[in-house]
Amino acid sequence: MKLYAPSTINEIKEKYGFKFAKSLGQNFLTNKNIIDEIINICDIGPDDLVIEIGPGIGVITCEAAKKAREVIAIEIDKNLIPILQDTLAEFSNVRVVNQDVLKTDINGIIEEAKSRQLSIQNPPVKSVKIIGNLPYYITTPIIMKVLEDGIEAESITIMMQKEVADRIKAKPSTKDYGALSVAVQYYCETAGSINVPKEVFYPRPKIDSTVLKLKLLEKAPTELLDKNTFFNCVKASFGQRRKTLNNSLSGMGGVSKDLIKEALDNAGVDGIRRGETLTLEEFGMLANEIFKLMGEARRGNNISTAQNPPV
Ligand code: SAM
């Protein structure tokens, strides 16, 4: 049986009374070549743990299960669970978790799977690979969750709108370069992509997609004194994209114009530039200067308060 064939999907719909939930972005893959390309780009080995987000009826899951030590598939739709139990019945190395991935403790799932694997006397899991064909509206939240929660994965391979992939990969001074590019490039490098035409989905969506493989960097590309200040600085710079840094950085809140001017001077960044021209390293230097000066300003306030106690 070709699980990915539209005729099989129709049989499954009939047998289980399943209805596509548009709100959950349920467009299933129907092309074996694309499924194989996704599996290949993931580069799954026999000691790998795969976390799949949004398995649907399991077309990617079963191919991953043939290569991985274990696959844990997180699916929000409870109507798909009995279907997955049938379509994946032959794989003893697949676990299906019926949860919203955005509310899932992915690190907890990984730790539990690793210790279970060891207790059945397997060699340690070599690496964790995350894979997912997800609704577009959760692409950015899920990528940022994986990155910000420090999820211990080697790579994350996700199907997304082509426009989002372009924004993630974008370089400074291009129209697509923005806060998302800087945030993702701080944690990852792009390690491959696949163009996916809309014709290979059932039901067919309106737009084409891209599968992007992001490899998590072992060492950050720039050393930061404080991540929050860095991300606030990036957000403020792109929040008012057309403004110069002299003006847009006041959007960070709690920083004076003088402090911004001094930080820009110290970092060697011209304040009449726009945020969209800064490299990740320049954002790093600037954020570090802002953080240092904010610390100095706070300490200065404390000293003057101590010297002049309120009467
Ligand atoms: N992987 C399958 C394929 O390629 O054919 C299905 C892909 S379909 C585009 C997206 C899947 O993600 C659906 O099965 C949907 O129910 C599931 N999903 C949507 N939101 C989710 C969430 N927040 N957490 C987990 N799964 C979700």
Side-chain angles (χ1 to χ4, degrees), residues 167-206:
R167 279 167 51 209
I168 288 177
K169 292 189 286 185
K171 297 282 171 240
S173 301
T174 62
K175 73 170 177 24
D176 290 325
Y177 188 59
L180 182 65
S181 329
V182 180
V184 176
Q185 290 170 27
Y186 173 71
Y187 293 103
C188 310
E189 63 185 353
T190 303
S193 64
I194 306 168
N195 292 327
V196 185
K198 53 183 177 299
E199 289 75 25
V200 303
F201 293 97
Y202 181 55
R204 193 175 288 184
K206 289 198 176 74

Side-chain angles (χ1 to χ4, degrees), residues 21 23-30 52-61 74-77 80 99-102 132-135 137-138 159 201:
S23 63
L24 295 177
Q26 288 177 342
N27 304 92
F28 298 152
L29 272 173
T30 60
E52 190 196 0
I53 306 168
I57 59 164
V59 289
I60 294 177
T61 329
I74 305 168
E75 172 56 61
I76 195 172
D77 187 352
L80 283 167
Q99 268 179 31
D100 176 349
V101 68
L102 292 173
N133 174 14
L134 292 161
Y137 56 84
I138 58 169
M159 176 97 68
F201 293 97

